[in-house]
Each structure stands twice: as structure tokens, then as C-alpha cells.
Amino acid sequence: MSDHKLSSRLFSTRIDIPTDVRVQVVSILNQTLAATLDLKTQTKQAHWNVKGTDFYQLHELFDELAGELEEYVDLVAERITALGGYALGTARIAASNSILPEFPFEAIDGKEHVTALADRFAPYAKHIRDAIAKTNDLGDADTADIYTEISRTIDKRLWFLEAHLQASPAKADNGAATTTKTQKTAAVR
């Protein structure tokens, strides 16, 4: 049976969402399942392989991120089956259906891994926000609520990753603090 046939296969349920809506929502959820599984395994790839002075901090952060993603894998898969759908959650299906690019295997130090993950969390976050709108438009408030829950955490985690990549704007190229116009004015007084 092809993935397409499985993704549109519905089992009977007493949930009062029309069949045509459930088919569409299950399809969206299966896309999310693939991306979430892929993002989780890419995050574990970073967890296992990060090196450098921030090793321990990033190793722990990446493991925490992967754990949260694992919870979302289960949440999404169970919503699919609650709607009478068939959850497509094998590694092969996830890899072939994910919206995310492959992890850069040349990444070694912490900054490279953080950048790679931020570059994957951002499109994942967009996918989740798009899914909120789509499932809401389809009239499935419960699924939209699940996506909203995921979105809040993913946006926060993207912020955590990006914070590692942002330098202080008050630092010059040589690392010395720069003097702002306000500081100069205060010093003259």
C-alpha cells in the first residue's frame, strides 16, 4: 500500500468531524509527524556529535530539545489515530516526507550545530503556524489547539538557539565595549 493510500485511509470513529475534513487534517498531521520525527533525529545528531568549549551546555540543551520533540511526535500521532487516521511514523517515511533539509554532517563545533538546528527549527515553526491556520480554517479547533501548544514551545526553543548566535551589539570587532552617544553625553556632564 502506498503512503498516499495510507494517509487518506480512515477508520470509523464517532468523532463528529466530517470525513472529508478528517482526511485533510490527517494529511496535515502526517506531514507534521514526518517533520517532527526528522527534527528530533537531527537534534539527536547534534546532541551526539557536538564538540568544543560549550560541549556540555549544548549537549544537555540538544537532549532536552529532542525530548520535547519526542513528546510532540506522540501527541501528533495520537491525534491522527483519534481522528480515525493512520499515523505514518517510520524513519523511512519521515525522511521521505519531511519538509526539512538534511543535517550537515560536517558540523563539529557548537556554533555549527546551533546554526544547523536554528536553520531547521525556523521552517518547522513556520509549518506549525501554517498548520494552526489550516486546521482552524477546517473547523478542527482541537487540532489547531495542539498546534498552538507546539508552536509556543518551538518558538521559545528557536529563541534559545538564536540567542547562542547573537553577539552583543555593544561590542566592537575587537571585543572592546563601544561608547554610545548617550554614554558620551553622560560622561561630559
Side-chain angles (χ1 to χ4, degrees), residues 145-176:
D145 185 56
I146 288 170
Y147 277 120
T148 301
E149 175 187 339
I150 294 169
S151 179
R152 278 192 298 271
T153 301
I154 295 303
D155 283 351
K156 183 177 181 181
R157 293 317 196 169
L158 179 57
W159 166 51
F160 280 20
L161 292 167
E162 288 178 334
H164 283 85
L165 302 173
Q166 295 167 343
S168 172
K171 299 284 182 180
D173 290 338
N174 64 4

mmCIF file of all heavy atoms in Angstrom, residues 145-176:
data_model
loop_
_atom_site.group_PDB
_atom_site.id
_atom_site.type_symbol
_atom_site.label_atom_id
_atom_site.label_comp_id
_atom_site.label_asym_id
_atom_site.label_seq_id
_atom_site.Cartn_x
_atom_site.Cartn_y
_atom_site.Cartn_z
ATOM 1 N N ASP A 145 -5.500 23.688 18.417
ATOM 2 C CA ASP A 145 -5.004 23.913 19.770
ATOM 3 C C ASP A 145 -3.720 23.123 20.036
ATOM 4 O O ASP A 145 -2.794 23.624 20.680
ATOM 5 C CB ASP A 145 -6.089 23.546 20.784
ATOM 6 C CG ASP A 145 -5.697 23.875 22.203
ATOM 7 O OD1 ASP A 145 -5.369 25.052 22.473
ATOM 8 O OD2 ASP A 145 -5.688 22.962 23.043
ATOM 9 N N ILE A 146 -3.661 21.904 19.547
ATOM 10 C CA ILE A 146 -2.437 21.099 19.671
ATOM 11 C C ILE A 146 -1.290 21.816 18.972
ATOM 12 O O ILE A 146 -0.191 21.940 19.516
ATOM 13 C CB ILE A 146 -2.649 19.678 19.097
ATOM 14 C CG1 ILE A 146 -3.556 18.871 20.017
ATOM 15 C CG2 ILE A 146 -1.317 18.967 18.861
ATOM 16 C CD1 ILE A 146 -4.035 17.553 19.438
ATOM 17 N N TYR A 147 -1.559 22.301 17.763
ATOM 18 C CA TYR A 147 -0.526 23.034 17.026
ATOM 19 C C TYR A 147 -0.110 24.312 17.763
ATOM 20 O O TYR A 147 1.067 24.668 17.773
ATOM 21 C CB TYR A 147 -1.006 23.367 15.613
ATOM 22 C CG TYR A 147 -0.833 22.232 14.638
ATOM 23 C CD1 TYR A 147 -1.912 21.682 13.974
ATOM 24 C CD2 TYR A 147 0.427 21.715 14.353
ATOM 25 C CE1 TYR A 147 -1.758 20.646 13.065
ATOM 26 C CE2 TYR A 147 0.598 20.684 13.454
ATOM 27 C CZ TYR A 147 -0.498 20.150 12.806
ATOM 28 O OH TYR A 147 -0.327 19.129 11.908
ATOM 29 N N THR A 148 -1.051 24.981 18.398
ATOM 30 C CA THR A 148 -0.725 26.188 19.149
ATOM 31 C C THR A 148 0.200 25.850 20.317
ATOM 32 O O THR A 148 1.167 26.574 20.577
ATOM 33 C CB THR A 148 -2.012 26.884 19.641
ATOM 34 O OG1 THR A 148 -2.808 27.217 18.499
ATOM 35 C CG2 THR A 148 -1.702 28.146 20.424
ATOM 36 N N GLU A 149 -0.085 24.758 20.993
ATOM 37 C CA GLU A 149 0.775 24.313 22.092
ATOM 38 C C GLU A 149 2.197 24.054 21.593
ATOM 39 O O GLU A 149 3.181 24.484 22.204
ATOM 40 C CB GLU A 149 0.202 23.041 22.720
ATOM 41 C CG GLU A 149 1.081 22.433 23.790
ATOM 42 C CD GLU A 149 0.571 21.086 24.285
ATOM 43 O OE1 GLU A 149 -0.623 20.780 24.116
ATOM 44 O OE2 GLU A 149 1.384 20.330 24.844
ATOM 45 N N ILE A 150 2.305 23.353 20.484
ATOM 46 C CA ILE A 150 3.616 23.051 19.908
ATOM 47 C C ILE A 150 4.312 24.349 19.497
ATOM 48 O O ILE A 150 5.505 24.535 19.751
ATOM 49 C CB ILE A 150 3.477 22.084 18.717
ATOM 50 C CG1 ILE A 150 2.963 20.724 19.188
ATOM 51 C CG2 ILE A 150 4.804 21.933 17.985
ATOM 52 C CD1 ILE A 150 2.548 19.776 18.064
ATOM 53 N N SER A 151 3.578 25.248 18.880
ATOM 54 C CA SER A 151 4.151 26.496 18.375
ATOM 55 C C SER A 151 4.798 27.318 19.481
ATOM 56 O O SER A 151 5.893 27.865 19.306
ATOM 57 C CB SER A 151 3.066 27.316 17.676
ATOM 58 O OG SER A 151 3.594 28.532 17.195
ATOM 59 N N ARG A 152 4.128 27.424 20.603
ATOM 60 C CA ARG A 152 4.693 28.212 21.713
ATOM 61 C C ARG A 152 6.061 27.680 22.128
ATOM 62 O O ARG A 152 7.012 28.443 22.316
ATOM 63 C CB ARG A 152 3.746 28.197 22.915
ATOM 64 C CG ARG A 152 2.626 29.194 22.843
ATOM 65 C CD ARG A 152 1.913 29.334 24.180
ATOM 66 N NE ARG A 152 1.299 28.097 24.622
ATOM 67 C CZ ARG A 152 0.047 27.734 24.310
ATOM 68 N NH1 ARG A 152 -0.704 28.523 23.579
ATOM 69 N NH2 ARG A 152 -0.434 26.601 24.742
ATOM 70 N N THR A 153 6.175 26.386 22.254
ATOM 71 C CA THR A 153 7.443 25.786 22.681
ATOM 72 C C THR A 153 8.502 25.900 21.596
ATOM 73 O O THR A 153 9.655 26.228 21.881
ATOM 74 C CB THR A 153 7.239 24.311 23.078
ATOM 75 O OG1 THR A 153 6.284 24.250 24.131
ATOM 76 C CG2 THR A 153 8.545 23.668 23.520
ATOM 77 N N ILE A 154 8.134 25.645 20.360
ATOM 78 C CA ILE A 154 9.116 25.691 19.276
ATOM 79 C C ILE A 154 9.651 27.105 19.093
ATOM 80 O O ILE A 154 10.862 27.299 18.907
ATOM 81 C CB ILE A 154 8.516 25.129 17.968
ATOM 82 C CG1 ILE A 154 8.187 23.633 18.138
ATOM 83 C CG2 ILE A 154 9.455 25.361 16.778
ATOM 84 C CD1 ILE A 154 9.362 22.751 18.545
ATOM 85 N N ASP A 155 8.792 28.112 19.159
ATOM 86 C CA ASP A 155 9.273 29.494 19.061
ATOM 87 C C ASP A 155 10.232 29.826 20.204
ATOM 88 O O ASP A 155 11.251 30.489 20.003
ATOM 89 C CB ASP A 155 8.106 30.482 19.053
ATOM 90 C CG ASP A 155 7.395 30.561 17.711
ATOM 91 O OD1 ASP A 155 7.900 29.987 16.726
ATOM 92 O OD2 ASP A 155 6.341 31.211 17.656
ATOM 93 N N LYS A 156 9.929 29.346 21.398
ATOM 94 C CA LYS A 156 10.814 29.581 22.536
ATOM 95 C C LYS A 156 12.142 28.879 22.317
ATOM 96 O O LYS A 156 13.215 29.436 22.579
ATOM 97 C CB LYS A 156 10.151 29.079 23.827
ATOM 98 C CG LYS A 156 10.968 29.336 25.064
ATOM 99 C CD LYS A 156 10.210 28.891 26.303
ATOM 100 C CE LYS A 156 11.014 29.154 27.568
ATOM 101 N NZ LYS A 156 10.273 28.698 28.765
ATOM 102 N N ARG A 157 12.115 27.676 21.820
ATOM 103 C CA ARG A 157 13.352 26.920 21.579
ATOM 104 C C ARG A 157 14.166 27.542 20.450
ATOM 105 O O ARG A 157 15.399 27.545 20.505
ATOM 106 C CB ARG A 157 13.047 25.452 21.307
ATOM 107 C CG ARG A 157 12.489 24.743 22.525
ATOM 108 C CD ARG A 157 13.232 25.127 23.774
ATOM 109 N NE ARG A 157 12.964 24.197 24.850
ATOM 110 C CZ ARG A 157 13.648 24.190 25.978
ATOM 111 N NH1 ARG A 157 14.600 25.061 26.193
ATOM 112 N NH2 ARG A 157 13.360 23.325 26.917
ATOM 113 N N LEU A 158 13.508 28.060 19.438
ATOM 114 C CA LEU A 158 14.229 28.770 18.377
ATOM 115 C C LEU A 158 14.927 29.993 18.972
ATOM 116 O O LEU A 158 16.079 30.282 18.641
ATOM 117 C CB LEU A 158 13.281 29.172 17.245
ATOM 118 C CG LEU A 158 13.907 29.943 16.084
ATOM 119 C CD1 LEU A 158 15.055 29.173 15.448
ATOM 120 C CD2 LEU A 158 12.837 30.267 15.042
ATOM 121 N N TRP A 159 14.264 30.691 19.867
ATOM 122 C CA TRP A 159 14.867 31.830 20.549
ATOM 123 C C TRP A 159 16.104 31.374 21.324
ATOM 124 O O TRP A 159 17.149 32.037 21.292
ATOM 125 C CB TRP A 159 13.831 32.467 21.479
ATOM 126 C CG TRP A 159 14.373 33.430 22.485
ATOM 127 C CD1 TRP A 159 15.200 34.502 22.258
ATOM 128 C CD2 TRP A 159 14.136 33.407 23.892
ATOM 129 N NE1 TRP A 159 15.472 35.151 23.443
ATOM 130 C CE2 TRP A 159 14.832 34.498 24.463
ATOM 131 C CE3 TRP A 159 13.384 32.575 24.724
ATOM 132 C CZ2 TRP A 159 14.806 34.777 25.827
ATOM 133 C CZ3 TRP A 159 13.357 32.860 26.075
ATOM 134 C CH2 TRP A 159 14.069 33.952 26.613
ATOM 135 N N PHE A 160 16.021 30.250 22.039
ATOM 136 C CA PHE A 160 17.174 29.736 22.785
ATOM 137 C C PHE A 160 18.348 29.475 21.843
ATOM 138 O O PHE A 160 19.485 29.820 22.159
ATOM 139 C CB PHE A 160 16.822 28.436 23.511
ATOM 140 C CG PHE A 160 16.068 28.605 24.794
ATOM 141 C CD1 PHE A 160 15.371 29.760 25.102
ATOM 142 C CD2 PHE A 160 16.045 27.577 25.712
ATOM 143 C CE1 PHE A 160 14.682 29.900 26.298
ATOM 144 C CE2 PHE A 160 15.359 27.694 26.919
ATOM 145 C CZ PHE A 160 14.676 28.857 27.205
ATOM 146 N N LEU A 161 18.069 28.855 20.704
ATOM 147 C CA LEU A 161 19.137 28.568 19.738
ATOM 148 C C LEU A 161 19.721 29.860 19.178
ATOM 149 O O LEU A 161 20.946 30.026 19.123
ATOM 150 C CB LEU A 161 18.602 27.683 18.606
ATOM 151 C CG LEU A 161 18.236 26.255 19.007
ATOM 152 C CD1 LEU A 161 17.426 25.578 17.905
ATOM 153 C CD2 LEU A 161 19.488 25.442 19.345
ATOM 154 N N GLU A 162 18.852 30.772 18.773
ATOM 155 C CA GLU A 162 19.332 32.022 18.185
ATOM 156 C C GLU A 162 20.105 32.864 19.194
ATOM 157 O O GLU A 162 21.041 33.578 18.811
ATOM 158 C CB GLU A 162 18.161 32.823 17.606
ATOM 159 C CG GLU A 162 17.610 32.196 16.348
ATOM 160 C CD GLU A 162 16.420 32.933 15.770
ATOM 161 O OE1 GLU A 162 15.690 33.624 16.518
ATOM 162 O OE2 GLU A 162 16.219 32.821 14.550
ATOM 163 N N ALA A 163 19.770 32.787 20.468
ATOM 164 C CA ALA A 163 20.490 33.544 21.494
ATOM 165 C C ALA A 163 21.962 33.138 21.544
ATOM 166 O O ALA A 163 22.828 33.963 21.844
ATOM 167 C CB ALA A 163 19.830 33.347 22.855
ATOM 168 N N HIS A 164 22.258 31.888 21.214
ATOM 169 C CA HIS A 164 23.649 31.435 21.165
ATOM 170 C C HIS A 164 24.401 32.031 19.978
ATOM 171 O O HIS A 164 25.630 32.047 19.967
ATOM 172 C CB HIS A 164 23.715 29.899 21.064
ATOM 173 C CG HIS A 164 23.451 29.205 22.340
ATOM 174 N ND1 HIS A 164 22.172 28.905 22.782
ATOM 175 C CD2 HIS A 164 24.290 28.758 23.303
ATOM 176 C CE1 HIS A 164 22.251 28.289 23.943
ATOM 177 N NE2 HIS A 164 23.513 28.186 24.283
ATOM 178 N N LEU A 165 23.666 32.502 18.993
ATOM 179 C CA LEU A 165 24.287 33.002 17.764
ATOM 180 C C LEU A 165 24.364 34.523 17.703
ATOM 181 O O LEU A 165 25.024 35.070 16.827
ATOM 182 C CB LEU A 165 23.492 32.489 16.547
ATOM 183 C CG LEU A 165 23.377 30.974 16.432
ATOM 184 C CD1 LEU A 165 22.433 30.599 15.298
ATOM 185 C CD2 LEU A 165 24.750 30.347 16.238
ATOM 186 N N GLN A 166 23.693 35.195 18.616
ATOM 187 C CA GLN A 166 23.634 36.654 18.577
ATOM 188 C C GLN A 166 24.714 37.248 19.469
ATOM 189 O O GLN A 166 24.805 36.925 20.650
ATOM 190 C CB GLN A 166 22.251 37.130 19.029
ATOM 191 C CG GLN A 166 21.165 36.680 18.071
ATOM 192 C CD GLN A 166 19.768 36.842 18.633
ATOM 193 O OE1 GLN A 166 19.585 37.005 19.826
ATOM 194 N NE2 GLN A 166 18.783 36.779 17.755
ATOM 195 N N ALA A 167 25.502 38.134 18.870
ATOM 196 C CA ALA A 167 26.546 38.832 19.623
ATOM 197 C C ALA A 167 25.974 40.108 20.214
ATOM 198 O O ALA A 167 25.006 40.667 19.703
ATOM 199 C CB ALA A 167 27.712 39.156 18.703
ATOM 200 N N SER A 168 26.605 40.565 21.248
ATOM 201 C CA SER A 168 26.177 41.810 21.881
ATOM 202 C C SER A 168 26.410 42.976 20.923
ATOM 203 O O SER A 168 27.506 43.138 20.401
ATOM 204 C CB SER A 168 26.973 42.039 23.167
ATOM 205 O OG SER A 168 26.700 43.317 23.668
ATOM 206 N N PRO A 169 25.396 43.827 20.693
ATOM 207 C CA PRO A 169 25.591 44.966 19.787
ATOM 208 C C PRO A 169 26.514 46.024 20.388
ATOM 209 O O PRO A 169 27.002 46.888 19.685
ATOM 210 C CB PRO A 169 24.184 45.517 19.585
ATOM 211 C CG PRO A 169 23.394 45.025 20.744
ATOM 212 C CD PRO A 169 24.051 43.747 21.186
ATOM 213 N N ALA A 170 26.817 45.954 21.675
ATOM 214 C CA ALA A 170 27.678 46.933 22.324
ATOM 215 C C ALA A 170 29.155 46.560 22.223
ATOM 216 O O ALA A 170 29.995 47.237 22.773
ATOM 217 C CB ALA A 170 27.282 47.082 23.786
ATOM 218 N N LYS A 171 29.477 45.502 21.513
ATOM 219 C CA LYS A 171 30.866 45.073 21.363
ATOM 220 C C LYS A 171 31.394 45.461 19.988
ATOM 221 O O LYS A 171 30.713 45.318 18.986
ATOM 222 C CB LYS A 171 31.001 43.554 21.529
ATOM 223 C CG LYS A 171 30.564 43.023 22.866
ATOM 224 C CD LYS A 171 31.593 43.325 23.908
ATOM 225 C CE LYS A 171 31.147 42.734 25.244
ATOM 226 N NZ LYS A 171 32.069 42.981 26.278
ATOM 227 N N ALA A 172 32.615 45.938 19.950
ATOM 228 C CA ALA A 172 33.271 46.238 18.675
ATOM 229 C C ALA A 172 33.895 44.952 18.156
ATOM 230 O O ALA A 172 33.942 43.944 18.850
ATOM 231 C CB ALA A 172 34.335 47.308 18.875
ATOM 232 N N ASP A 173 34.425 45.005 16.950
ATOM 233 C CA ASP A 173 35.048 43.825 16.349
ATOM 234 C C ASP A 173 36.166 43.268 17.205
ATOM 235 O O ASP A 173 36.420 42.078 17.223
ATOM 236 C CB ASP A 173 35.572 44.150 14.956
ATOM 237 C CG ASP A 173 34.453 44.371 13.959
ATOM 238 O OD1 ASP A 173 33.322 43.889 14.212
ATOM 239 O OD2 ASP A 173 34.714 45.019 12.947
ATOM 240 N N ASN A 174 36.890 44.116 17.920
ATOM 241 C CA ASN A 174 37.996 43.626 18.731
ATOM 242 C C ASN A 174 37.550 43.138 20.106
ATOM 243 O O ASN A 174 38.376 42.782 20.932
ATOM 244 C CB ASN A 174 39.064 44.710 18.887
ATOM 245 C CG ASN A 174 38.555 45.927 19.640
ATOM 246 O OD1 ASN A 174 37.415 45.937 20.116
ATOM 247 N ND2 ASN A 174 39.392 46.943 19.745
ATOM 248 N N GLY A 175 36.244 43.177 20.388
ATOM 249 C CA GLY A 175 35.716 42.685 21.646
ATOM 250 C C GLY A 175 35.642 43.749 22.727
ATOM 251 O O GLY A 175 35.142 43.505 23.803
ATOM 252 N N ALA A 176 36.160 44.938 22.456
ATOM 253 C CA ALA A 176 36.097 46.014 23.445
ATOM 254 C C ALA A 176 34.736 46.671 23.387
ATOM 255 O O ALA A 176 34.112 46.754 22.331
ATOM 256 C CB ALA A 176 37.194 47.046 23.160
#
